[in-house]
């Protein structure tokens, strides 16, 4: 039976996922419980929420002091936060060094990277915040990487095409994430239930110039093509890097819109970044709550209007590249 959870539930659930302290988590869970419909279809979820609240209360009792912000809580800047995750030596740091201006350590030996390092990758008119992460494999399970991924806007899974063990290495990471309720998936389904969080993910095979790379790429495609979009790059030769950026942008499901004042030229500098499916109302809320409260209608120039200057209501779904003039009371 579908649970038909209301939007307020999903909003509270998002707060739960992004909460940093047990108290914040408990508060969000209580709200989720309060607003959810109580019927047979939600029995399991109700029990699950109660169990989680009880566990968190126990936890809070045991560790009342540790108030430090964990190292994986990195302030989000730009159009989205995207950890680059993968087995040892795949080239995670090399990728970040190549597409951003960050000075990260690249080395032949595994387990070079120890802490998460953020770096901005320019793409067209936006900046995407990539995060370098330590290697993750069966030999070395990095417990906080799922927590980083859970809070992120998208992930890059990086595989080494010169290593025939890559499909196994990637499968290990995907499964370990799922065991922690983080589902990496190419396209996030519209409807979901329970505590799993789905993170849009691009699988990238690196070292495509190495011998045997074709066969490893094929093995990755056979195993993961119905789950993730897959790109191949060679950081060494630069092959595929532009396609990688576009593929990541596509996975992130972003809509970029520009705003304009009545009677003036549009500001085509930095766009507002919204998630796909966002409406005129979402844009107004992102700009200012006063504008949201007094919103009457919008005029559109660009992709999603039927004609230039078309008047649309607040439910109108915006398209990438739209220019929007908001009219308030
Ligand atoms: N042949 C080849 N080697 C590459 C390529 N990209 C990176 N490498 C090499 O792969 C090795 C590992 O690169 P890193 O960027 O340190 O890999 P990492 O995934 O960050 O590794 P850890 O931090 O140890 O997990 C280095 O010797 C790089 O020079 C590539 O496209 N082709
Ligand atoms: Mg590294």
């Amino acid at each position: 039976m579908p649970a038909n959870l209301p939007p307020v539930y999903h909003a509270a659930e998002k707060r739960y996922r992004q909460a940093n302290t047990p108290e914040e988590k408990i508060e969000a869970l209580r709200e989720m419980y309060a607003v959810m419909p109580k019927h047979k279809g939600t029995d399991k979820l109700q029990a699950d929420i109660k169990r989680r609240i009880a566990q968190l209360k126990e936890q809070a009792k045991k560790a009342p002091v540790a108030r430090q912000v964990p190292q994986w809580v990195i302030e989000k800047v730009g159009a989205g936060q995207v950890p680059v995750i993968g087995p040892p030596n795949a080239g995670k740091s090399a990728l970040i060094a190549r597409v951003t201006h960050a000075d990260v350590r690249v080395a032949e030996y595994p387990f070079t990277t120890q802490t998460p390092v953020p770096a901005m990758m320019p793409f067209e008119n936006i900046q995407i915040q990539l995060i370098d992460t330590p290697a993750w494999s069966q030999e070395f399970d990095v417990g906080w990487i799922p927590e980083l991924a859970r809070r992120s806007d998208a992930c890059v899974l990086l595989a080494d095409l010169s290593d025939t063990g890559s499909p196994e290495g990637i499968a290990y990471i995907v499964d370990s994430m799922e065991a922690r309720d983080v589902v990496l998936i190419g396209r996030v389904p519209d409807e979901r239930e329970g505590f799993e969080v789905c993170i849009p993910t691009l699988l990238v095979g690196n070292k495509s110039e190495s011998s045997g790379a074709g066969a490893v790429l094929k093995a990755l495609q056979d195993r993961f093509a119905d789950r993730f979009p897959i790109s191949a790059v060679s950081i060494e030769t630069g092959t595929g890097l532009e396609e990688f950026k576009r593929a990541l942008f596509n996975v992130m499901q972003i809509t970029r819109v520009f705003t304009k004042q009545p009677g003036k030229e549009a500001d085509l500098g930095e766009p507002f970044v919204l998630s796909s499916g966002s409406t005129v109302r979402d844009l107004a809320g992102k700009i200012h709550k006063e504008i949201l409260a007094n919103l009457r209608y919008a005029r559109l120039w660009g992709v999603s209007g039927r004609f230039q200057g078309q008047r649309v209501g607040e439910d109108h779904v915006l398209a990438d590249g739209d220019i929007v003039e908001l009219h308030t009371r």
Side-chain angles (χ1 to χ4, degrees):
M1 192 193 287
N4 290 328
L5 299 166
V8 275
Y9 175 90
H10 291 296
E13 194 215 353
K14 189 165 179 200
R15 280 213 312 283
Y16 167 72
R17 279 191 266 122
Q18 302 197 338
N20 294 325
T21 66
E23 289 81 6
E24 282 169 24
K25 285 188 182 155
I26 291 173
E27 191 279 322
L29 284 166
R30 285 202 170 123
E31 162 131 24
M32 285 156 63
Y33 188 80
V35 300
M36 75 192 294
K38 314 284 188 306
H39 57 65
K40 197 119 194 63
T42 63
D43 271 357
K44 199 171 148 282
L45 194 54
Q46 289 180 49
D48 206 7
I49 292 180
K50 284 192 198 156
R51 184 174 52 77
R52 274 167 203 256
I53 293 175
Q55 275 173 356
L56 282 164
K57 279 188 181 161
E58 275 304 302
Q59 221 176 304
K61 254 190 261 162
K62 275 188 213 137
V65 270
R67 264 299 123 80
Q68 233 182 336
V69 177
Q71 61 169 347
W72 44 264
V73 175
I74 294 172
E75 193 195 345
K76 290 188 183 183
V77 285
Q81 188 172 81
V82 183
V84 177
I85 296 168
N89 247 5
K92 301 175 294 297
S93 302
L95 174 68
I96 285 171
R98 180 87 192 222
V99 297
T100 75
H101 300 297
D103 186 16
V104 288
R105 241 170 84 226
V106 174
E108 303 85 45
Y109 50 85
F111 304 108
T112 309
T113 307
Q114 297 292 334
T115 53
V117 181
M120 302 308 287
M121 176 177 81
F123 172 74
E124 296 181 349
N125 49 6
I126 57 170
Q127 304 261 345
I128 297 170
Q129 185 186 38
L130 299 182
I131 298 185
D132 195 9
T133 67
W136 193 10
S137 68
Q138 207 139 7
E139 295 75 55
F140 196 71
D141 209 325
V142 188
W144 52 261
I145 291 183
E147 299 312 312
L148 173 67
R150 191 195 308 280
R151 294 169 48 89
S152 70
D153 299 294
C155 281
V156 169
L157 271 177
L158 194 67
D160 182 344
L161 296 179
S162 72
D163 176 4
T164 52
S166 280
E168 280 312 312
I170 294 297
Y172 175 76
I173 292 174
V174 168
D175 292 346
S176 309
M177 286 273 192
E178 253 179 63
R180 303 277 291 274
D181 286 342
V182 180
V183 179
L184 304 183
I185 192 159
R187 204 185 162 85
V188 174
D190 294 337
E191 276 290 316
R192 42 181 200 86
E193 282 173 24
F195 280 95
E196 287 176 349
V197 32
C198 295
I199 303 293
T201 299
L202 174 69
L203 176 56
V204 180
N206 177 33
K207 313 193 188 182
S208 64
E209 89 299 341
S210 59
S211 64
V216 179
L217 182 61
K218 169 86 173 46
L220 283 169
Q221 282 162 340
D222 288 347
R223 192 145 173 183
F224 297 110
D226 50 8
R227 179 161 183 153
F228 307 114
I230 303 176
S231 297
V233 300
S234 167
I235 295 161
E236 201 161 273
T237 66
T239 310
L241 286 174
E242 287 312 309
E243 293 83 351
F244 152 73
K245 292 181 198 174
R246 164 134 330 256
L248 176 58
F249 174 78
N250 288 340
V251 154
M252 289 175 77
Q253 298 275 302
I254 281 175
T255 299
R256 295 165 294 184
V257 299
F258 302 94
T259 53
K260 102 183 240 331
Q261 305 269 340
K264 294 199 184 137
E265 287 291 300
D267 175 6
L268 297 179
E270 248 183 66
F272 282 92
V273 174
L274 305 164
S275 48
S276 293
S278 291
T279 59
V280 167
R281 190 171 43 243
D282 296 324
L283 172 65
K286 180 125 189 164
I287 298 173
H288 202 278
K289 61 177 190 298
E290 292 271 301
I291 295 184
L292 178 62
N294 294 309
L295 185 64
R296 283 177 59 219
Y297 65 91
R299 287 196 187 280
L300 272 188
W301 284 261
V303 190
S304 77
R306 275 180 291 120
F307 54 88
Q308 299 303 303
Q310 185 197 351
R311 179 176 165 151
V312 294
E314 52 181 14
D315 288 330
H316 183 83
V317 174
L318 297 166
D320 194 41
D322 273 348
I323 298 169
V324 187
E325 187 178 273
L326 295 174
H327 289 259
T328 51
R329 266 181 277 278

